Amino acid sequence: MRGLIQSLRYTLRVLLKSPGFTITAVLILGFGIGANTTIFSLIDAVIFNALPYPQPDRLVRILQPKGNTNYWAQVDYPDYLDIKASQRSLEDLAVQSWWFLDFAGQGTPQRLTAIFASPGLFSLSKLPFVLGRPFTEDEDKHNGPLVVVLSEALWRSRFNSDPSIIGKSLRLSGESFQVIGVCPRQVEDVSTPADDIIYVPVHVTELSGNDFQDRNGHYLSLFGRLKAGATLAEAQAELEIIQQNLVKQYPASNKGYGIKVVPVQENMVSSYSGVVWLLGGAVSCLLLISCANVANLLFARGLARRKEMLIRATLGASRASLLRQLFSETACLAGLGGLTGLLLAAWWIGLMKAISPDYLYRFGEVKLDTRALLFVFAFTALVSLLSGLLPALNLSRLSARLQDQGGRAGTTSQQRQRTQSALVAGQIALACLLLVGGGLFIRSFQNMQSLPLGFNPHHLLTADITVTNPNYANDQAKVRQLFEAVLEKVRALPGVTEAAMNQDMPFQWGFGELNAPFHVPGQPVAEPGKEPTFCSQDISSGYFQTMEMPLLLGRDFNSGDRPETQHVIIVDNALAQHFFPDENPVGKQIEYLWANNEGQKVWTIVGVVQNSRHNSPDHPLAPYQVFLPYSQRDDLYRALLLLRSEGDPTQLGSAVQRIVREVDPNQSVTQIMTLDDLVTNRSWTRELGVSLVSIFSAVALLLSAVGLYGVLAYSVSQRTREIGVRIALGAQSSGILKLVLWRGLKLVIVGSVAGMTLALMLVRFIESILYGISGDDPITLALAILVLGAVAVLACLFPALAAVKINPITALRE
């Protein structure tokens, strides 16, 4: 133990004698270890961390996709019952949807997220209730009792963990619900993530006038748990047969729908797992570059310690003891780097959690836990080995040679030069790989951002007014009066230039996913399941002016468009050009073909508007978009209020809340935010990926340039006498410049070729997350080479200029 303490003290003294070297090495290793720890924690929490249930790998999500998309893949309640009765590979099934219910406690009504679920949702988790019980099958039937299960988070925060809450009544959206249970917090991982959650039977949707037994109601998420011994493939095969039978039995509602069984966790992270894996690959490259950089620093420092090693060897130190000492120094550096990395990772993780949108709730689970600490420990040991092994072996061998040569060595050995050159070439190759990957990702993101939206999202405030009170359920005139009164008042607010309403919120999950089939009278009728479809938006008059969307033909909706008048529609330019290429579409008609509709609805086109995009580019775009007048709807329940302002729209939030309370004191308003924020949130994971990959690529490029500079600078210092002799014999400055530059450029060429080869081999793994660009995009590849080449030339130029300035007389005297 005493010897170990003495060795540690000596190691610290040695490192403190060279503070510049020590600080540089610790910062390089700290950044690499910190970045890897952060991304490891992210991957571990988002992808690897199992859901908090018994046998979570057996939980599956059952999708009913239409066509090739999974975005609108929910099921209807009758299909759920048919699947449940026919299948044999799942031990339980459950459906859920979500909406809002207003809790009428003290003061202003509180908007709660209501999960409309079948009883099986709780049995799927296999977790005991905190209090009470789940609802039963008898309670989940038409006109069933109004019961509610509280989430643990809501029970603790809103009801102060009251153990006597069971049996009490809550006033939810004007109706009395009896509390029968409190479910554990973990159930929320399958249900919709939110702070204030309650669970009610599916039949509660009837309170708002919905028929939950309608076969056209594809709005329920279906979950299941595989039986012991059953596999995912077996469940998929069985459900495909059931789905085919459903299509035969109910072609009107099921034609064109497939079925797909996926693990729940995979389904939860599918939208951003590719970006997370890309970040994992990027930080791995960065760590290797950091290790190579520190190894080169140790090589250079080792040569400066030749005399020290000679003296210690002369005094009897064995090669093993020299290796032990050198490894202890490297381990100490790696330990300090690991500690620095841990501090950086803690800060980065906190920052990432603070800025991540609420819908990425798995990001909130990222933390520095025991596995992260073990990762740091293992990586610190690995870094110590990778960065210190070759320099330590080299320096211990050098000590023996110095003994034989009397303590003098004029030039570095060829073997050491080759090792250092290989490390630099490896750094350049990895930097090239990162530049290509980062360039592709950045250009992909630019392609997404540059797509025209068709409207102006700036200076727009949005507010959600969802009607959940049953007093409005059977009185559409009353709902319409509420919305029109609010709209009239907000239009009169100072600073508001335009205001309108839309029934859905653009750039939110689920917007525009339901594509309705239609037919143009007088044109060929498509086969069932192959009809053209459109995405519809229900809007008020003034919507196009508020969104700054040009109306190309016809008119806007007006006060004359009422439920009893002719049904009218405004179509986008894509639909107009496809179905009416050589004629004016205004005055033409469109038939709505949704199954089981009471008579096919027919709309008359009164206008054509510019094409627009109301969802993120990686979201399947509806072939056509149409707009229907709010005033002709017979199922109004929600209004997204949009206000265009002259200045900062966020200043209008409190005024909007005040106006809604004035119109109806029991009506809540939520999600007050700018449309810019909505647009940004949908691309947040990609933006995070672009930012981090760009930073990692820049750091990798800088470290590679520093490594190249260091090797060439040291080479020039070791060849000072040789260069001095060349100059004394008449060598021109250009020749000396070429001599040094060529050595550096050879490393750059070798590293670039290796890096580009690696890039072309690996880009196929990220092509699925690229948009509008291929993995072998020549512009990106060329830019990566140009940037790498420019930085490399600068790194080579400084040592080359130093070589040109060598004084031959001074060099020969050394």
Side-chain angles (χ1 to χ4, degrees):
M1 178 61 71
R2 184 178 178 182
L4 181 62
I5 295 175
Q6 288 179 341
S7 177
L8 182 60
R9 286 177 178 174
Y10 178 76
T11 297
L12 292 175
R13 285 200 305 270
V14 169
L15 294 179
L16 291 175
K17 284 175 64 177
S18 305
F21 161 80
T22 303
I23 292 173
T24 301
V26 168
L27 289 178
I28 291 173
L29 291 177
F31 190 92
I33 293 174
N36 274 270
T37 303
T38 302
I39 303 304
F40 168 80
S41 300
L42 177 63
I43 293 174
D44 187 48
V46 170
I47 297 177
F48 290 142
N49 193 26
L51 295 172
Y53 311 108
Q55 297 178 311
D57 57 311
R58 306 199 72 77
L59 286 172
V60 296
R61 172 87 185 272
I62 300 165
L63 307 170
Q64 266 191 342
K66 189 168 187 179
N68 296 321
T69 176
N70 289 336
Y71 278 88
W72 185 260
Q74 282 83 345
V75 304
D76 57 70
Y77 196 79
D79 276 1
Y80 152 66
L81 295 178
D82 290 336
I83 293 172
K84 184 177 181 180
S86 303
Q87 64 82 30
R88 296 292 179 268
S89 55
L90 300 163
E91 65 180 59
D92 209 347
L93 283 171
V95 289
Q96 68 149 58
S97 182
W98 70 274
W99 199 238
F100 304 108
L101 291 176
D102 290 334
F103 171 52
Q106 296 179 351
T108 305
Q110 180 184 2
R111 172 64 51 85
L112 302 179
T113 300
I115 307 299
F116 301 90
S118 63
L121 183 68
F122 304 109
S123 60
L124 283 177
S125 68
K126 291 186 177 293
L127 295 172
F129 261 41
V130 178
L131 289 176
R133 62 172 179 83
F135 34 81
T136 64
E137 296 287 347
D138 290 335
E139 291 169 328
D140 187 28
K141 292 182 178 179
H142 176 60
N143 291 328
L146 298 181
V147 293
V148 61
V149 170
L150 306 180
S151 66
E152 183 179 356
L154 179 66
W155 173 63
R156 295 189 184 281
S157 64
R158 187 66 177 79
F159 300 98
N160 299 315
S161 304
D162 181 8
S164 62
I165 191 71
I166 304 301
K168 291 185 177 180
S169 295
L170 301 183
R171 198 74 179 169
L172 300 173
S173 295
E175 296 287 341
S176 179
F177 285 72
Q178 183 184 26
V179 178
I180 62 171
V182 177
C183 70
R185 187 183 304 270
Q186 293 89 336
V187 174
E188 298 167 24
D189 281 330
V190 169
S191 59
T192 300
D195 294 330
D196 301 317
I197 296 179
I198 56 175
Y199 298 85
V200 295
V202 176
H203 76 79
V204 175
T205 58
E206 293 177 317
L207 294 178
S208 58
N210 292 327
D211 181 7
F212 74 99
Q213 300 183 81
D214 181 8
R215 284 199 176 271
N216 294 306
H218 288 258
Y219 65 92
L220 296 168
S221 300
L222 177 57
F223 298 93
R225 178 180 281 275
L226 292 171
K227 286 183 177 179
T231 66
L232 199 68
E234 290 171 350
Q236 176 69 41
E238 180 187 45
L239 293 183
E240 283 178 358
I241 296 173
I242 295 173
Q243 179 63 23
Q244 291 169 7
N245 292 333
L246 289 174
V247 171
K248 292 177 182 178
Q249 286 180 278
Y250 311 102
S253 61
N254 287 71
K255 186 76 172 179
Y257 284 91
I259 200 161
K260 186 177 181 181
V261 185
V262 296
V264 165
Q265 186 154 342
E266 177 186 316
N267 179 255
M268 292 169 67
V269 302
S270 60
S271 63
Y272 50 82
S273 59
V275 175
V276 173
W277 281 118
L278 174 65
L279 292 176
V283 293
S284 299
C285 291
L286 183 62
L287 181 68
L288 291 175
I289 291 173
S290 301
C291 291
N293 209 283
V294 172
N296 266 328
L297 287 175
L298 291 171
F299 267 119
R301 186 168 179 270
L303 292 173
R305 298 176 65 188
R306 289 175 299 183
K307 289 186 179 180
E308 175 196 341
M309 294 296 107
L310 172 63
I311 293 172
R312 296 189 63 173
T314 303
L315 293 176
S318 64
R319 187 181 180 189
S321 65
L322 293 178
L323 279 173
R324 189 164 51 249
Q325 177 58 42
L326 293 172
F327 262 121
S328 68
E329 294 174 17
T330 306
C332 191
L333 283 175
L336 292 172
L339 181 60
T340 303
L342 195 61
L343 295 175
L344 287 173
W347 180 60
W348 288 334
I349 288 173
L351 179 63
M352 182 170 57
K353 291 169 68 173
I355 64 176
S356 62
D358 292 338
Y359 70 85
L360 296 174
Y361 63 102
R362 297 275 298 176
F363 276 61
E365 300 173 6
V366 181
K367 58 184 177 181
L368 284 175
D369 55 10
T370 305
R371 288 195 286 189
L373 295 177
L374 290 174
F375 176 85
V376 171
F377 177 79
F379 251 54
T380 299
L382 179 63
V383 165
S384 176
L385 181 65
L386 290 177
S387 58
L389 179 61
L390 290 177
L393 290 174
N394 182 273
L395 191 55
S396 65
R397 283 197 301 265
L398 182 63
S399 63
R401 295 180 183 176
L402 288 173
Q403 271 189 297
D404 297 337
Q405 297 173 7
R408 183 177 181 85
T411 60
T412 59
S413 68
Q414 290 185 351
Q415 183 179 1
R416 185 168 57 254
Q417 287 187 43
R418 285 196 298 268
T419 303
Q420 288 182 283
S421 297
L423 288 172
V424 170
Q427 285 181 273
I428 293 171
L430 292 172
C432 181
L433 177 62
L434 272 178
L435 283 174
V436 171
L440 289 170
F441 205 40
I442 291 170
R443 293 200 64 211
S444 171
F445 187 72
Q446 288 175 338
N447 288 342
M448 295 175 67
Q449 296 297 97
S450 62
L451 281 174
L453 295 175
F455 60 88
N456 180 11
H458 309 309
H459 295 285
L460 273 176
L461 184 73
T462 67
D464 187 358
I465 306 173
T466 300
V467 176
T468 60
N469 195 318
N471 292 333
Y472 290 100
N474 299 313
D475 194 345
Q476 285 294 295
K478 190 175 181 180
V479 177
R480 194 172 291 109
Q481 289 172 4
L482 168 69
F483 292 160
E484 289 176 352
V486 170
L487 189 56
E488 181 181 357
K489 287 179 176 291
V490 297
R491 282 173 172 166
L493 285 173
V496 174
T497 58
E498 299 285 350
M501 286 183 171
N502 188 341
Q503 189 160 350
D504 287 309
M505 188 174 289
F507 283 88
Q508 275 210 331
W509 299 108
F511 181 87
E513 291 176 348
L514 182 57
N515 294 332
F518 70 94
H519 169 64
V520 177
Q523 298 194 13
V525 179
E527 296 179 19
K530 296 183 179 180
E531 305 94 342
T533 60
F534 57 60
C535 165
S536 65
Q537 298 181 52
D538 301 294
I539 63 173
S540 69
S541 60
Y543 180 79
F544 301 122
Q545 293 92 326
T546 303
M547 298 293 284
E548 296 185 2
M549 296 171 59
L551 193 65
L552 305 179
L553 290 173
R555 66 170 177 87
D556 194 359
F557 301 130
N558 55 46
S559 57
D561 299 319
R562 310 303 295 179
E564 64 275 7
T565 64
Q566 181 185 50
H567 284 192
V568 295
I569 188 171
I570 294 175
V571 302
D572 68 358
N573 198 38
L575 188 149
Q577 289 185 346
H578 186 272
F579 291 96
F580 312 100
D582 301 317
E583 52 187 325
N584 188 345
V586 175
K588 304 295 183 181
Q589 292 186 323
I590 288 179
E591 293 182 21
Y592 180 56
L593 299 179
W594 198 259
N596 293 342
N597 205 49
E598 295 180 1
Q600 295 178 329
K601 286 187 178 179
V602 177
W603 291 293
T604 299
I605 299 174
V606 296
V608 178
V609 72
Q610 175 179 282
N611 296 335
S612 58
R613 177 182 288 275
H614 288 72
N615 221 318
S616 60
D618 54 351
H619 187 104
L621 183 65
Y624 311 109
Q625 292 198 52
V626 301
F627 301 87
L628 305 173
Y630 234 101
S631 55
Q632 291 188 333
R633 284 297 300 258
D634 55 4
D635 58 348
L636 294 177
Y637 60 92
R638 183 188 192 190
L640 171 68
L641 186 63
L642 297 119
L643 289 77
R644 183 168 293 281
S645 68
E646 295 173 338
D648 182 7
T650 58
Q651 302 298 321
L652 299 170
S654 58
V656 171
Q657 290 178 315
R658 174 178 53 80
I659 286 174
V660 172
R661 285 196 298 269
E662 289 175 358
V663 176
D664 184 350
N666 295 317
Q667 178 60 49
S668 60
V669 56
T670 59
Q671 293 182 292
I672 299 176
M673 61 194 305
T674 66
L675 191 56
D676 275 327
D677 289 338
L678 280 172
V679 174
T680 300
N681 283 348
R682 280 306 302 269
S683 59
W684 187 85
T685 52
R686 285 183 175 272
E687 192 169 351
L688 173 69
V690 166
S691 301
L692 292 182
V693 170
S694 299
I695 292 172
F696 296 155
S697 300
V699 172
L701 188 62
L702 176 63
L703 291 179
S704 300
V706 169
L708 181 60
Y709 167 81
V711 167
L712 291 182
Y714 192 80
S715 174
V716 169
S717 69
Q718 293 298 302
R719 299 177 66 184
T720 298
R721 295 186 67 190
E722 174 195 339
I723 294 173
V725 170
R726 288 174 179 268
I727 295 174
L729 294 177
Q732 298 295 316
S733 297
S734 59
I736 301 298
L737 199 66
K738 290 178 182 178
L739 178 70
V740 179
L741 283 175
W742 177 238
R743 183 176 180 229
L745 291 178
K746 282 193 295 186
L747 297 179
V748 174
I749 292 171
V750 172
S752 298
V753 170
M756 197 59 65
T757 303
L758 268 176
L760 292 174
M761 291 171 59
L762 298 176
V763 288
R764 60 189 178 92
F765 294 108
I766 65 169
E767 282 189 330
S768 61
I769 60 174
L770 299 179
Y771 181 83
I773 190 171
S774 63
D776 57 353
D777 176 59
I779 296 178
T780 304
L781 300 180
L783 285 174
I785 292 295
L786 286 175
V787 170
L788 184 62
V791 173
V793 168
L794 283 176
C796 297
L797 192 59
F798 289 104
L801 291 175
V804 170
K805 295 177 181 179
I806 289 176
N807 188 323
I809 297 176
T810 304
L812 292 172
R813 285 176 179 173
E814 292 182 357

